[in-house]
Amino acid sequence: MVRWKWWVPAGVLLVGGVVLYQVALRQVRVGIEQALGARASVASLEIGWSGVVVSGLRVRADRPRWPADDELRADRVVIVPQLLSVFSDSWRVRSVRVEGAYVSVLRRRDGGLAVVPGLVRPAAEPSSSTGRPVRFGHIELVDASVDFFDASVRQPPHRLRFERLNAELDDLALPALDQRMAVDVQAVFKGPKRDGTLAVKGWVTAATRDADLKAAFAGVDLIALEPYLLRMHEAGVKRGTLDLDVHAKVAHNRLHAPGVVTLTDLELGTGGGLLGTFAGVPRQAVVASLNRDGRIELKFVLEGHLDDPKFSINEALSLRIAAGLAESLGVSVGGVVQGVGGVLKGLFGR
């Protein structure tokens, strides 16, 4: 009889725990469905003891303003929530694993970056119907692909393709993006003639734009990077590879990013004749240097205030590469550097 008295409360607690768990999971499911937004759809959404499994996720893009049909696709997403958080003011998710994903990213003409805007809304915009922020402990992307469209260098936007991308993100807070997020990314950079690799590691706080990131490109096809190397009417690239190492730090909206870029086996097009240029340097001087050892190594420093309307990262990188290339070849950048001397002095202190 005594034993029976102990089983009654234990059974009640067990049943109550199971019911509470199921209620919490269903709350998580409702929250996910509401957070996905009007342009999102899923093939299936299942709840279980280990969390929520979303299959066939798709977030359609707002065409024609977006350069791809989808902002996001994923074969399978496994979400492990912290269940007690469903009864608090903010959702907390222990981990998210995304398998077989596709993501399109747009860099606008003004340089601003947009990543899945259908899901990630600025804090200044009206909140979702849940009214709750979401905090993710750990996010893992497995075998993803990314299309990076850059409207700041070309119209229509220039497309860069990354495949076999694996990434880990820690401490992501939506929609505020005001927490320091750890980043670790490896990917294959696709090129017209050959593939290179990309590795990025460090941290970033998106809301304040503070960051400390180390990035390395290796064996990248230069043809894919023409808009970042060439000015209008310059000779094109027929072949070549690029290796790039850069350590970028941003504090109080000021960028400081020293780096090294190496061009190997560069072959230029015939456009521009004897007076043609590459990165602002006379084409014949570039070819002559490459004929000596087949490679050019340049050191550069990107510096400037991100809120300065005169500061353009693309322009600054182009100018620094041009100046470094001219110095390494023993030639003058001439009118190009003279014409932007004031910008160089203001941005780089030289």
Side-chain angles (χ1 to χ4, degrees):
M1 193 70 179
V2 174
R3 185 177 301 176
W4 173 254
K5 290 181 180 180
W6 280 107
W7 273 106
V8 172
V12 171
L13 288 175
L14 179 61
V15 172
V18 171
V19 171
L20 183 63
Y21 186 86
Q22 292 298 320
V23 170
L25 282 177
R26 283 177 171 78
Q27 284 280 78
V28 171
R29 174 173 179 160
V30 170
I32 291 171
E33 291 173 338
Q34 292 175 336
L36 286 177
R39 296 201 305 271
S41 62
V42 296
S44 66
L45 197 158
E46 302 174 354
I47 58 175
W49 290 104
S50 60
V52 181
V53 178
V54 179
S55 300
L57 171 63
R58 181 188 181 192
V59 180
R60 297 182 302 279
D62 184 12
R63 300 285 277 168
R65 291 187 293 180
W66 195 260
D69 291 333
D70 296 322
E71 295 177 5
L72 171 68
R73 294 192 305 269
D75 295 338
R76 187 169 183 262
V77 182
V78 181
I79 304 167
V80 181
Q82 292 182 358
L83 293 178
L84 292 180
S85 71
V86 304
F87 304 107
S88 67
D89 293 335
S90 64
W91 298 104
R92 292 187 179 273
V93 178
R94 189 182 309 279
S95 66
V96 177
R97 178 181 171 91
V98 183
E99 301 171 358
Y102 165 81
V103 182
S104 58
V105 179
L106 174 64
R107 187 182 183 199
R108 299 185 296 266
R109 291 189 182 188
D110 62 3
L113 202 64
V115 184
V116 198
L119 297 183
V120 181
R121 291 174 290 276
E125 294 186 8
S127 62
S128 66
S129 58
T130 63
R132 296 182 182 181
V134 183
R135 296 183 180 274
F136 297 88
H138 182 75
I139 300 176
E140 182 182 12
L141 275 69
V142 180
D143 195 24
S145 59
V146 174
D147 278 333
F148 182 91
F149 295 93
D150 197 340
S152 71
V153 297
R154 177 178 291 176
Q155 290 295 326
H158 182 62
R159 175 176 173 259
L160 301 174
R161 175 78 174 181
F162 300 88
E163 294 183 355
R164 300 203 295 276
L165 183 146
N166 296 297
E168 294 187 40
L169 310 175
D170 291 313
D171 302 321
L172 172 63
L174 297 177
L177 297 172
D178 57 352
Q179 300 295 310
R180 179 180 292 192
M181 179 177 65
V183 178
D184 190 352
V185 180
Q186 295 88 35
V188 172
F189 186 102
K190 300 296 292 184
K193 293 187 175 180
R194 60 167 294 162
D195 297 338
T197 60
L198 163 69
V200 179
K201 191 167 186 177
W203 61 265
V204 60
T205 305
T208 62
R209 294 190 285 185
D210 290 347
D212 188 335
L213 294 169
K214 291 183 179 180
F217 289 86
V220 173
D221 194 335
L222 276 174
I223 298 175
L225 300 177
E226 273 192 342
Y228 302 93
L229 294 172
L230 306 182
R231 297 179 178 86
M232 192 176 297
H233 308 308
E234 286 190 330
V237 177
K238 295 181 68 175
R239 73 172 187 184
T241 61
L242 173 141
D243 296 331
L244 171 68
D245 289 282
V246 62
H247 185 183
K249 293 184 178 181
V250 179
H252 307 295
N253 280 337
R254 173 162 289 277
L255 169 70
H256 176 74
V260 179
V261 60
T262 303
L263 308 179
T264 305
D265 294 329
L266 176 63
E267 181 179 351
L268 302 178
T270 57
L274 293 176
L275 300 180
T277 60
F278 174 78
V281 176
R283 175 180 178 276
Q284 294 301 326
V286 178
V287 174
S289 174
L290 288 171
N291 286 340
R292 290 196 294 269
D293 57 15
R295 67 197 300 269
I296 298 176
E297 182 176 288
L298 313 169
K299 294 183 179 180
F300 64 88
V301 178
L302 292 175
E303 273 189 312
H305 202 284
L306 298 180
D307 288 334
D308 184 349
K310 296 181 180 180
F311 178 66
S312 164
I313 292 179
N314 286 340
E315 181 181 67
L317 181 58
S318 178
L319 293 175
R320 292 303 300 149
I321 289 180
L325 184 57
E327 182 180 350
S328 69
L329 297 175
V331 299
S332 173
V333 183
V336 176
V337 170
Q338 291 176 11
V340 296
V343 178
L344 280 170
K345 181 178 179 181
L347 295 180
F348 310 114
R350 295 181 182 179

